[in-house]
Amino acid sequence: ADLPAATAAMERLIESGTAPSGATYGVLISAAAKAGRIDEAAGWLRRMAMAGHGAPNAISINIVINACAKGGRIDMAEALLKEMPALGAAPDVMSYNAVLDACARAGEVERTEAWFRNMMAKGPKPNSVSLSFVLQACSNASDIERAESWLEALADASGPYAGVEANAICYNVVIHACAKAGEIDRAAGWIQRMADVNIKPTVNSYSSIIHRLAKTGDMDGAEAWFERMEEEGVEADAVSYNMMLCTCTKASDAPKALRLFKQMQDRGITPNTVCYNLVLNIYARRGDRSRVAACLEEMRRLWVPLDRVTYNTAMKTLVKSGDVEHAEALVQEMWEKGVRPDTYTYNALIAACSRRKDACAAERWFRCFRKDGLEPDAITYGSMVDAYVQAGMVPRAEQMLQEARDAGVAVSAGGYSVLVSAAAKAQDIHRAERWLVAMEESQLEVNSWVYNAVIGACARRGDIARAERWLARIGAGRAQADVASYSAVVHACAKAGDLLRAESWISEMEAAGVPANVVTYNSVINACARCGHSDRAERWLQSMRAKGIEPAVLTINSLIHACCRAGDLARAEHWLTSMGDHGLTPDSVSYGTLIHAYGSKRDPLRAAHWLQEMRRATGGVTDSQRYCYNVVVQGLAQLGQPDQAARWLAIMEGDGVEVTSATRNALLGAQAKST
C-alpha cells in the first residue's frame, strides 16, 4: 500500500471541503498503524474526532493500541485507552487486552496486573485472553511463582477473580515458563493439573517441554515426551516434529531423524521449510546429491517455500563435486523466487568454481557478488586465491590476496598456504618464501606442512643451507618439525652427496623425539650410495630394521647402487637376490643398476645374464630402460662376440625398444672385424 499517496489524497479531500466518511478515516488509521507509524495513526484519530464528522469507533482505536503494543509504546497505549471516552468510544475487552499485551511484552508485571484488576472493578469483564497476558507478563519477567499464584487464585470460586476461567492457552503460558527455566517436573505437574480440571492439553503444552529437552541435548527425554504426547491422543504438528528433528541432528542421529520425517509424511502432516532444511542438511553432509535434488523437487511440488537456508544447504553438495552448472541454476532460481543470495551463497558458488579449476567462472561470480552490494570476506578471497592457483594463475592469485590485505580482510592461513605450495612445486623458492614470511608477519598459524613445502623445494634445488635455515625456523614458531621436515633436509644432503651432514640430521631428529621413517632412511642410504660407502649403507639398513622399519624397494635399490659404486658387484647381486626375503620384488631399477655396473666393468656376459633375468621377472623392458640393452649389445660387440651382440639386438627390436645409432655402429664394427 502507498501510505504517503493515501495521506496526500486525504489531505486534498479535506482541503476541498469534502467531509471524509468514518470508513475513510478508518482505512487510513489502519494503514498507518500496520506500517508502524503510530503517531500518524493516533493523529488521524484525533483529527477525526475534532472534525465533527463522527466519533472514531472502538475498532479503529483498538488497532492503534495494538500497534502501540507491538511497538513497545506502553504509555501511549494506556493514554489512548483512557482517552477513548473523550473520543466518543467506550473501551471494550479488546481495548483492555491490547494494553495488557503492551505491558506483558515489556515484562511489566505490576502494570499488567493493575489493568487486569481495573477491568475486574470497572468492566468490561476480563476473559481468558486477558488472563493469558497477565500470565505472559509473569513469564517474561521469569516470575514463575507469580504466574502460578494467578492460576491458583482463579481456582477459588469465592475469590476476587471468580468467573474468569483459565483455558489451555493460560496453562500453556505457565508450562512454557517452567520448561524455559528447566523445571520439567514442574511443567509436567501443570499438564496434569489441566487434565484434573478437564482441560485437554494441546500440542503446545507438550512442545514446550520437548523444546527445552531438545535444546539441552536430552534426546531420550525429548523422545519420551513426544511419545507420551501421542499416547495421550494429542497429535504432533509440524513444529513438534521440527523440535524432534533438531534433537536428532544435534545428536548426529541421522537415521532417527529420517524415520521421524517419513513418519510425519505418512501421517499426512506436510513438513514445513524448517523440516525440509534439516533433512536436506543430513543429505548434504553425506554428499548425497540425488537425495538433495529429490527433496528440492518435492518441496517445489508441495508448494513448500524454499528459503535461503534451503538453497545454501543444497549448494554444499555441489561445492564438493565442483558442479558449477547446477550451482548456477540454483542461484538463478533464487533470483526468480525473490530470495536474495547472501555471502554464503556466493562463497559456495566460487568454491565450486575453484574445485572445477574454472577461474574465469569464479571471477565472474566474484563481480556479481560485489554488484549485489555484498562485501567479500576472508572465505571469499580465500576461495578466489585457490581458484586462481588451481587454474595455474599464480600471479593473479597473488593480486587477489594482496587486494584482501589492502582491504583489511584477514584471509585465513589456507589462502596463503596454497600460494606457498604452488610456488614451492614450481621451484620458485623466492616467491614461496615471500608468502610464508607474510603468513608469519600476519601472525597466522603456519602448519609444519607449509614449512615442509619450502624445505622440500630447497632440498630439490640442492640448497642445503637454505633448507636447514627453514627447519630451524619451524622450531622458532608455533609449529613443530616433523619427520617430513627432517627427511627433506636429509634428502638435500643426500642429493649433494654430503653423507656426514645427512647422518648428523638423523641424530638431530632422534634427539628431538622425532623418529625417522622409511623415507628418511632411504635418503641417508642414498647418500651412502652416492659416496660409494656400501658398508655404511648396510649399517643404516640394519639400524632401520632394528627399529621395526621394514625396507622398501627404493631402500634396497639404494644399497645395490652403493655396492655398485664401491665396485662390490657380488654384494650388489646378493642384495638383489635377497629382496624376496624382505617381501619385496625387484623392479627395473634394481636390475638396471646392476646391468649398468657390469657394463662399466666391461663384463657384458654378466650384464646379459641380469638383462635376461630382468626380462623374465618384469615381462620385458620399457623404452626408458633401453640403456640396459645398449650396454649389453655394445659390450658384447666390444668383447668381440658379434653373434651374441646380434642376438641381443634382435631381442631388443622384438621387445619394441628403439636401437640407438651407437649400438648399431658397435655391432657393425664388430662384424666387420670378425670377417
Side-chain angles (χ1 to χ4, degrees):
D2 191 346
L3 183 59
T7 303
M10 185 70 153
E11 294 288 4
R12 287 194 299 272
L13 185 66
I14 294 171
E15 288 173 6
S16 71
T18 304
S21 66
T24 306
Y25 276 104
V27 169
L28 196 56
I29 290 165
S30 176
K34 287 180 180 178
R37 297 167 70 164
I38 302 169
D39 292 324
E40 191 174 328
W44 282 110
L45 277 175
R46 295 187 178 95
R47 286 183 67 174
M48 180 181 179
M50 291 171 62
H53 302 306
N57 58 29
I59 294 174
S60 297
I61 299 172
N62 290 347
I63 287 171
V64 181
I65 296 174
N66 272 313
C68 293
K70 292 177 182 177
R73 304 279 293 275
I74 305 174
D75 293 339
M76 189 171 182
E78 291 176 326
L80 281 170
L81 179 59
K82 293 173 183 177
E83 194 181 346
M84 283 184 76
L87 293 172
D92 58 14
V93 175
M94 292 181 65
S95 312
Y96 277 95
N97 284 351
V99 173
L100 288 168
D101 183 23
C103 299
R105 285 171 185 263
E108 294 269 6
V109 181
E110 293 180 359
R111 209 164 175 176
T112 312
E113 291 175 332
W115 279 107
F116 184 84
R117 293 189 179 102
N118 185 288
M119 291 178 75
M120 291 293 298
K122 299 179 181 179
K125 183 181 176 182
N127 57 19
S128 56
V129 176
S130 315
L131 175 61
S132 71
F133 287 130
V134 176
L135 297 171
Q136 191 63 57
C138 299
S139 175
N140 289 345
S142 301
D143 194 341
I144 301 173
E145 289 77 8
R146 199 162 187 163
E148 290 177 322
S149 69
W150 273 97
L151 283 182
E152 295 288 359
L154 289 168
D156 185 358
S158 61
Y161 307 116
V164 180
E165 293 184 358
N167 61 9
I169 294 173
C170 299
Y171 279 96
N172 286 347
V173 171
V174 177
I175 291 167
H176 177 75
C178 295
K180 186 179 178 182
E183 298 270 5
I184 302 301
D185 291 339
R186 200 169 182 175
W190 282 106
I191 289 180
Q192 183 58 50
R193 180 76 70 87
M194 290 177 75
D196 293 342
V197 296
N198 295 319
I199 297 175
K200 184 175 176 62
T202 67
V203 66
N204 289 336
S205 312
Y206 292 95
S207 292
S208 294
I209 296 176
I210 294 169
H211 177 69
R212 176 64 188 183
L213 294 170
K215 192 174 181 180
T216 56
D218 186 353
M219 185 175 173
D220 292 336
E223 191 172 358
W225 272 97
F226 187 82
E227 291 173 356
R228 177 174 169 178
M229 175 176 69
E230 295 191 315
E231 288 170 2
E232 294 294 332
V234 179
E235 290 187 4
D237 60 6
V239 176
S240 309
Y241 276 103
N242 281 351
M243 294 173 186
M244 289 303 299
L245 288 170
C246 282
T247 305
C248 294
T249 52
K250 283 182 180 179
S252 299
D253 194 343
K256 183 171 284 186
L258 295 175
R259 283 199 301 273
L260 281 169
F261 186 74
K262 186 176 184 306
Q263 181 187 96
M264 181 182 187
Q265 292 176 308
D266 291 343
R267 292 182 177 182
I269 301 171
T270 301
N272 58 20
T273 304
V274 176
C275 288
Y276 273 106
N277 287 348
L278 290 167
V279 172
L280 274 170
N281 192 47
I282 291 172
Y283 291 137
R285 285 182 176 179
R286 292 177 176 179
D288 193 336
R289 289 183 55 188
S290 61
R291 295 274 188 176
V292 168
C295 268
L296 291 179
E297 190 54 41
E298 188 174 290
M299 290 177 76
R300 297 181 187 109
R301 180 170 53 80
L302 297 175
W303 298 96
V304 178
L306 281 71
D307 62 9
R308 187 181 291 115
V309 175
T310 312
Y311 288 107
N312 287 348
T313 304
M315 293 281 276
K316 289 180 185 177
T317 56
L318 303 177
V319 171
K320 292 176 182 177
S321 60
D323 190 343
V324 178
E325 287 79 10
H326 281 93
E328 290 177 332
L330 281 180
V331 174
Q332 185 63 40
E333 183 179 333
M334 290 177 77
W335 284 332
E336 292 170 357
K337 295 290 180 66
V339 181
R340 188 186 176 197
D342 61 3
T343 301
Y344 181 93
T345 315
Y346 282 108
N347 284 348
L349 191 48
I350 292 169
C353 296
S354 174
R355 287 262 181 157
R356 181 82 160 268
K357 300 183 181 181
D358 191 344
C360 293
E363 197 169 61
R364 184 177 72 251
W365 284 108
F366 184 74
R367 288 195 297 270
C368 288
F369 187 111
R370 281 186 158 160
K371 188 178 178 181
D372 215 4
L374 299 170
E375 285 299 321
D377 60 11
I379 296 173
T380 318
Y381 280 111
S383 295
M384 286 302 302
V385 169
D386 188 57
Y388 284 125
V389 169
Q390 292 294 332
M393 302 166 67
V394 175
R396 187 70 187 95
E398 290 181 319
Q399 290 174 12
M400 184 60 68
L401 183 53
Q402 190 58 53
E403 180 182 320
R405 286 159 63 91
D406 293 342
V409 178
V411 177
S412 68
Y416 290 85
S417 298
V418 293
L419 273 175
V420 174
S421 178
K425 285 179 181 177
Q427 285 299 108
D428 191 342
I429 298 174
H430 289 291
R431 179 173 265 162
E433 289 177 328
R434 178 161 58 86
W435 286 111
L436 180 48
V437 170
M439 284 183 78
E440 293 176 331
E441 290 174 348
S442 299
Q443 297 184 333
L444 293 168
E445 184 176 353
V446 186
N447 294 323
S448 58
W449 74 265
V450 182
Y451 284 107
N452 292 348
V454 176
I455 294 170
C458 297
R460 289 190 295 275
R461 181 74 64 82
D463 193 338
I464 304 173
R466 204 168 188 173
E468 289 174 332
R469 282 198 302 274
W470 280 108
L471 179 58
R473 196 154 172 168
I474 297 181
R478 286 175 290 180
Q480 293 292 323
D482 57 18
V483 64
S485 315
Y486 285 102
S487 295
V489 175
V490 172
H491 176 70
C493 299
K495 192 171 183 180
D498 194 337
L499 178 56
L500 291 176
R501 206 165 182 176
E503 291 177 326
S504 69
W505 274 112
I506 293 182
S507 300
E508 285 277 345
M509 70 186 292
E510 290 179 340
V514 180
N517 64 9
V518 66
V519 175
T520 319
Y521 283 108
N522 285 349
S523 294
V524 73
I525 291 172
N526 184 41
C528 295
R530 287 173 180 269
C531 297
H533 290 300
S534 58
D535 52 342
R536 284 164 82 168
E538 289 181 348
R539 283 202 299 273
W540 280 111
L541 176 63
Q542 291 169 0
S543 175
M544 70 184 288
R545 296 198 68 195
K547 292 178 181 178
I549 302 171
E550 288 300 318
V553 172
L554 180 61
T555 316
I556 306 300
N557 285 350
S558 294
L559 265 175
I560 293 169
H561 184 212
C563 294
C564 289
R565 287 290 296 269
D568 192 347
L569 301 191
R571 194 67 181 160
E573 288 188 0
H574 160 75
W575 283 113
L576 190 150
T577 55
S578 66
M579 286 180 78
D581 298 339
H582 300 285
L584 303 173
T585 301
D587 60 10
S588 58
V589 175
S590 315
Y591 290 104
T593 303
L594 196 55
I595 292 166
H596 189 270
Y598 274 117
S600 299
K601 284 280 188 179
R602 296 187 179 279
D603 189 348
L605 294 176
R606 199 63 187 157
H609 165 76
W610 285 110
L611 177 56
Q612 183 60 43
E613 286 295 310
M614 178 169 68
R615 293 180 71 251
R616 183 183 59 77
T618 62
V621 182
T622 62
D623 190 61
S624 60
Q625 277 85 44
R626 65 170 178 257
Y627 69 88
C628 297
Y629 286 93
N630 291 327
V631 164
V632 171
V633 174
Q634 292 179 31
L636 290 169
Q638 291 166 4
L639 192 64
Q641 296 191 21
D643 293 341
Q644 286 281 5
R647 186 175 70 83
W648 273 106
L649 182 64
I651 293 171
M652 186 176 183
E653 291 175 329
D655 286 345
V657 180
E658 183 182 350
V659 181
T660 64
S661 58
T663 301
R664 288 192 185 280
N665 290 338
L667 177 57
L668 290 172
Q671 289 172 334
K673 287 180 182 179
S674 66
T675 58

